[in-house]
Amino acid sequence: MGGTIIYLFFDVVVGDVVSLNIGDQIPADGLFLHGYSMKVTDGFGFMLVTSVGMSTAWGEMMSSISRDLDEQTPLQARLNKLTSYIGKVGLTVAIVVLVVMMIRYFTGNTRDDNGQKEYFGSKTKVSDVLDSVVGIIAAAVTIVVVAIPEGLPLAVTITLAYSMKRMMKDNAMVRKLSACETMGSATIICTDKTGTLTLNQMKVTEFCLGKETIESNTEIESEIYHLLQEGVALNTTGTVNNSHANVVPEITGSPTEKAIISWAVMDLGMNINETKGICEIIHVETFNSEKKRSGVLMRKNSEKAIHTHWKGAAEMILAMCSNYYVRNGEVRDLNEEEKVQFEAIIQSMAAKSLRCIAFAHKKVVEENSQASAKLEENGMTFMGLVGLKDPCRVGVKTAVESCKHAGVNVKMITGDNMHTARAIAIECGILNPEQDMKNGAVVEGVQFRNYSPEERMAKIDNIQVMARSSPFDKLLMVQCLKEKGHVVAVTGDGTNDAPALKEADIGLSMGIQGTEVAKESSDIVILDDNFTSVVTVLRWGRCVYNNIQKFIQFQLTVNVAALVINFVAAVSSGKIPLTAVQLLWVNLIMDTLGALALATEQPTNDLMTRPPVGRSEPLITKIMWRNLLAQALYQVTILLTLQFKGKAIFGVDEEVKNTLIFNTFVLCQVFNEFNALLMVELLNKFASTERLNWQQWGACIAIAVLTWPIGCLVKCIPVSCKRTQSH
Ligand SMILES: Nc1ncnc2c1ncn2[C@@H]1O[C@H](COP(=O)(O)OP(=O)(O)OP(=O)(O)O)[C@@H](O)[C@H]1O
Ligand SMILES: [Ca+2]
């Protein structure tokens, strides 16, 4: 029998035997060889691969379904609503313009370039009337064209696509486009502990037998040693491969299992495979995050007696016990007083941020050789307790701090013991050491589950750490937070995080150690498994949101200004200074450049000092409206002055005047684009009123200063004026 090798799933071929665990996804069809407690979401087993790739049932099915790629992000949906609203405004204005111009024309209130009346009732030529009517309709259409911000969808797509690409470089793979922007408004991050905040590289560092701590050289009575050996060897999903003598044995399994087996093999010198060979497993109850324990019912080949072994969350195993072993093999009664002492031992181990796992055993004498497939849960004998160290990832504390600084609350939801969770939370800076368990900052899953909905809503904001949580508790937490109006991001790696990841507004999974189910349920995969990358994603999210806001401000200024100018000019003089072709040109060139410039802007540190946007803040903030209207007003004033007084001021004819207007308009947009790039940055800091005033002044001065370059440039380029005319 060969050993177990870890493959990339791309390398699986027909004929391989694959070991299956909860949450695994294998891109192959196969035959089930053997396994235990195989249910859809539970158990483990082995499978012989019979087909791979496109010839699997899954592959065939997927090839018949094409993925729906044009999903709409919430922001895009909001933008579409905005665009259609603007469209309606434009249409209304266009109809007003149409009616007014028609009335003006047919009542003989319009004059041609030579100052002649255009309409003399029945004496006018039909072709002239047609020409004029077509002209009026064209003007109305222009108004509609002007109103609709064509560049918006382009800008949003460019921004999202570009940041998606950049995020990939920052070790975040975006699976769902909308996740980038949603992350920008996140107010809470719920993170699991093991594998996200910690490395998930466990190692047994403490071992207690009875109430006694066992050092590596302490002698253990052989009966207990053998029971422990059975408990470790049979009650596990891990494997040991020591086919090569003298080489460090290769151990597979979940990090917890690996740690326990490697402790048993390396520290206690146990022979796992031999024990497996001489025992028969009758029934297995596999580990899952809800029960937090695993058990086997087994029999030694030579014996009649059946043994039950449990291993799992220490305080839960302790609750099942009524006796305990001491080091010399003696069995003692576990009364209430003793239980309290054991609980204290567990707590002190957990307070050192160790994960505590206990072993318990019971010998069941076989009745009429008919073994029941049920594992006993009471009257167990407590065998021992191990403490597993799982170091924190470097940089987590800083990352948590940056989140807090950005106004994003970080909560830890873990399956681990309350004291372990608390110790790690303090180490990561999620919890203040002063925040005591009594004030509700740390709760247990059961507690949370049993609150009434009102109680839960009242307490949830105060909760920083939830320990001993089941997958359902994680989900419940996310649901409650969402109900409270938070935008919730969830990070996780395990199958137990999958429901919460799916429910969250943004689910982030770990790419290296995360299970397939977790990745499948998430929107973003963190490729380097590092919590620090979550902060990078947050930063990118905010950047995307900010850039889109900037672009909307820029784009709407163009539209409002053009709309007002054309409307006023059309209604008052019957002529439209900015034509449809010119405006489309502006849209095309300026929007593309603008979108590129704004979309490719890098996230700044400043982004991470603002409070989060949340769910309720409007897309166009009051500040944006103010900037937008101020800019538009300025442009409208300048351009209307040119429209009505331009000919007199510059001493030019109608055509050149229109070109002047167009050029000024374009230049205004160019400068405004810089405004959007630079000013919004400053103006968006709306927290302090003092600053606002200063910035208002800044904006005013900038706007005033712009008159000069605009005037100069227009005067200096008469040639380009002519050229533009021909467009
Ligand atoms: N293989 C195992 N056998 C028995 N008990 C285990 C095993 N692995 C973990 N446990 C117990 O279950 C608890 C962990 O439960 P769970 O799987 O819900 O959390 P996790 O995913 O490891 O942690 P987190 O939620 O922080 O990521 C541990 O505290 C430990 O006591
Ligand atoms: Ca986990």
Side-chain angles (χ1 to χ4, degrees), residues 552-714:
I552 292 173
Q553 184 186 321
F554 164 69
Q555 175 73 62
L556 288 188
T557 311
V558 178
N559 291 54
V560 169
L563 193 67
V564 173
I565 294 156
N566 272 358
F567 177 74
V568 173
V571 172
S572 59
S573 71
K575 292 277 180 325
I576 291 218
L578 298 164
T579 68
V581 177
Q582 284 175 338
L583 285 162
L584 285 174
W585 183 87
V586 172
N587 268 334
L588 258 179
I589 307 295
M590 306 282 296
D591 288 1
T592 318
L593 292 180
L596 269 174
L598 290 170
T600 55
E601 231 195 301
Q602 298 291 319
T604 57
N605 285 332
D606 171 62
L607 287 171
M608 295 297 279
T609 57
R610 295 179 203 166
V613 182
R615 212 180 279 284
S616 48
E617 180 152 329
L619 188 56
I620 308 179
T621 59
K622 285 200 181 113
I623 311 297
M624 285 168 71
W625 277 120
R626 193 199 55 204
N627 293 352
L628 191 160
L629 292 177
Q631 265 298 325
L633 189 70
Y634 163 71
Q635 291 182 13
V636 166
T637 319
I638 295 284
L639 295 176
L640 283 181
T641 314
L642 282 178
Q643 165 75 8
F644 293 114
K645 294 272 179 289
K647 279 196 262 186
I649 296 171
F650 293 101
V652 290
D653 63 10
E654 179 80 17
E655 305 251 286
V656 179
K657 181 211 75 187
N658 276 352
T659 314
L660 268 175
I661 290 179
F662 179 59
N663 270 5
T664 316
F665 182 68
V666 170
L667 286 170
C668 274
Q669 304 325 322
V670 171
F671 283 104
N672 192 31
E673 211 161 317
F674 285 112
N675 272 344
L677 274 166
L678 307 170
M679 301 295 282
V680 182
E681 201 73 285
L682 302 168
L683 289 173
N684 256 356
K685 285 188 196 160
F686 41 83
S688 74
T689 31
E690 217 177 311
R691 271 233 169 108
L692 270 185
N693 268 334
W694 178 84
Q695 277 138 7
Q696 263 170 330
W697 275 112
C700 293
I701 292 165
I703 289 166
V705 165
L706 279 184
T707 352
W708 185 73
I710 290 169
C712 262
L713 284 167
V714 170

Side-chain angles (χ1 to χ4, degrees), residues 192-196 200 355 474 492-497:
D192 77 331
K193 175 182 74 69
T194 321
T196 310
N200 209 1
R355 163 173 283 197
K474 296 195 180 195
D493 64 337
T495 310
N496 57 342
D497 303 315

Side-chain angles (χ1 to χ4, degrees), residues 19 66 85 101 128 147 190 197 232 275 331 370 376 533 603 625 718:
S19 121
S66 65
Y85 176 71
M101 283 175 81
D128 280 353
C190 292
L197 298 176
V232 172
T275 315
V331 178
Q370 193 70 32
E376 292 228 22
S533 302
W625 277 120

Side-chain angles (χ1 to χ4, degrees), residues 192-194 256-257 287 289 292 294 311-313 355-357 413-416 468 474 493 496:
D192 77 331
K193 175 182 74 69
T194 321
T256 310
E257 299 285 4
F287 169 78
S289 293
K292 306 205 189 296
S294 69
K311 116 171 171 291
R355 163 173 283 197
C356 307
I357 291 190
I413 321 178
T414 175
D416 239 327
R468 280 289 181 242
K474 296 195 180 195
D493 64 337
N496 57 342

